[in-house]
Amino acid sequence: GDVARAARYEDSVRATPPSTARSRVLGQIALFSGRLSAARRELATARLSGASDGTSAPDQAAIAAYLGLLSMIEGDVEQAVELCLDALLAGPPAEVTALARFALMLSLATQGRQAEFIGLIDSAADAGLLSASGFERQALQGMLALWSGQERLADANLSAVLRDAPPGLLLQGRLMLQTGLAEALYRIGDWDGAASQAELASSLAEDAGIQIGLGMTYAVAGYLSAGRGLWELAESQVAIASSSAEMLPWWGSRAYAAVARATLAQARGDYPAMHHALREFDDPAVSERVDGLGSPAWRALRTEALLGLGRLDDAEDHVRELHVRTRQAPGWASLEAVRLEAWLAELRQDAPAAQQAYERGLKLAVELPATLVQARLETGYGRFLLTHGERRPALDLLRGAHEKLERLRATPFLAVCDALLQTAGLRPASMGAPLDFTHQELAVARLVAAGRTNSEVGRELFITSRTVAFHLSNIYAKAGIASRRELAGRFPDLLG
């Protein structure tokens, strides 16, 4: 899975006589480094020559698997399903089976056929075909849960998979799982954990020269930086996600980049920019596949943009659609749908309907781990109650929202909450003097406070012991402490 190292030998491979093996290797390198037309040419040549020169069945199956992945990226999901099934039934080498199964899952899922994939794997396991290990099944189910808005289930599965990952896990697989876990943690409200996973994934992708998935990783990192008002960093991450989508224009990278641009505009309260960023989904090649996965993020963002622009009739249609799409898999987006419904009623000056929706949202929030959405719901309801002269319950809601947003360090949204508290005659407590730990320093601090040695921290974060020691010296300097014991005693929240 180390594309950067493999690519060093590309010229040497090109110097060899034409053969199935030569075309296959060149096709693989081109595919994972994002050169899709070259990958298509080489892999098609390999498949054609392999059918006539006696290439072994497992090697032919591997070629079909890579072509299946390429077809999925290019948007021909039906061909991807056919190629991946052919590959799996023919018994490809072990290192290719997980890749083929992932491409098959994603191709079926984009057509809303997730249950068919699970059923296929279950029935095939009984027959000894296509059978996935428990580890791999958990990984696939974790990604399906993420895309369908079931963040708690995604977190449980992906955390377990990454904790118990076998030594032979391909780098591309680790990158996808870490990015998926980062997104789930962002939605749930563990922003420090999400930032740590996103940083690890981006470092992994850059070091290994992996282009497929790079845009998704930087998009998720951009969600977090935007939510914390780290504008320069967010702009840089969103720009990388967008340029990655231009270089590798498959529907997945285009969708993630568009959502990242819209999320940055959302944090800034720039509704025209939000709406403009989501024009990518006007292309059915993008929207239909994302909708097939069940991912509701772009629809929630577009609804908010329409409300902010005062296009209430359009927004009402989108709220209705969002409710329908989140009914089967309650998650952060189902709470977001209620928040947007309440705001719509408020803008229509239908106070009873607005209050009813806000109350329904508060009850739903008890069941769902979605810190940012819950805090924004409480902020909106607090504003509504202040407008209608109900100061005391408004203050209770705004204080609760303030606490949640402060815990996330979600400064753009915290500023809105603070302004409302000031309107009510209260001066909100400041966020205090933050220690300004970087994401990597915070990850190191947590593990050290939990009693890990430098070498143990290094293994868990995929960095050297020397790098751990460097981060630890910075942590001590910022915190004004001199030992691990002081770290754990001074910051007990790190162990929470």
Side-chain angles (χ1 to χ4, degrees), residues 50-128:
S52 58
D53 67 2
T55 297
S56 69
D59 285 342
Q60 289 188 58
I63 295 167
Y66 288 117
L67 278 168
L69 176 62
L70 178 58
S71 295
M72 186 273 293
I73 292 169
E74 292 175 333
D76 190 345
V77 291
E78 290 292 352
Q79 184 181 57
V81 169
E82 181 180 343
L83 285 164
C84 290
L85 279 173
D86 286 349
L88 289 166
L89 292 170
E95 72 272 12
V96 181
T97 53
L99 178 145
R101 254 191 296 270
F102 175 77
L104 174 62
M105 175 201 73
L106 193 52
S107 299
L108 289 171
T110 59
Q111 302 172 70
R113 296 161 63 187
Q114 292 91 331
E116 182 178 336
F117 171 77
I118 298 298
L120 183 66
I121 294 297
D122 287 343
S123 61
D126 295 335

Side-chain angles (χ1 to χ4, degrees), residues 222 225-238 263-269 411-413:
S225 298
R228 285 181 162 165
L230 304 172
W231 304 125
E232 187 175 343
L233 180 58
E235 288 168 1
S236 171
Q237 290 164 335
V238 171
T263 301
L264 176 55
Q266 178 193 50
R268 286 174 160 159
T411 54
F413 304 102

Side-chain angles (χ1 to χ4, degrees), residues 412-424:
F413 304 102
L414 188 64
V416 175
C417 186
D418 283 352
L420 288 168
L421 283 167
Q422 289 173 357
T423 298

Side-chain angles (χ1 to χ4, degrees), residues 212-387:
I212 296 176
L214 181 66
M216 295 167 60
T217 299
Y218 274 98
V220 173
Y223 303 165
L224 288 154
S225 298
R228 285 181 162 165
L230 304 172
W231 304 125
E232 187 175 343
L233 180 58
E235 288 168 1
S236 171
Q237 290 164 335
V238 171
I240 293 172
S242 297
S243 63
S244 178
E246 290 173 5
M247 290 188 297
L248 189 68
W250 72 293
W251 57 268
S253 61
R254 290 169 63 192
Y256 267 91
V259 168
R261 291 193 295 271
T263 301
L264 176 55
Q266 178 193 50
R268 286 174 160 159
D270 187 344
Y271 299 113
M274 280 182 74
H275 193 263
H276 183 269
L278 296 167
R279 290 195 307 174
E280 198 75 57
F281 291 93
D282 293 340
D283 183 353
V286 177
S287 59
E288 289 179 3
R289 288 174 176 80
V290 173
D291 284 343
L293 288 174
S295 179
W298 78 272
R299 290 186 175 276
L301 287 163
R302 177 168 281 183
T303 305
E304 182 170 340
L306 291 169
L307 287 170
L309 293 170
R311 294 172 53 180
L312 304 189
D313 290 341
D314 290 338
E316 184 171 2
D317 291 340
H318 279 70
V319 167
R320 189 179 302 113
E321 179 72 16
L322 195 57
H323 274 305
V324 170
R325 291 182 177 276
T326 58
R327 192 171 295 144
Q328 298 302 317
W332 72 271
S334 57
L335 184 58
E336 186 74 322
V338 177
R339 182 185 74 84
L340 295 168
E341 177 190 346
W343 188 22
L344 171 63
E346 198 176 346
L347 291 172
R348 289 197 186 278
Q349 299 183 354
D350 187 345
Q355 183 152 16
Q356 185 180 48
Y358 278 127
E359 288 291 340
R360 185 156 33 93
L362 292 180
K363 291 178 182 177
L364 182 61
V366 174
E367 306 167 11
L368 298 174
T371 307
L372 178 62
V373 181
Q374 183 177 355
R376 296 190 73 201
L377 175 82
E378 291 171 347
T379 300
Y381 196 9
R383 179 195 61 236
F384 171 83
L385 292 174
L386 281 177
T387 302

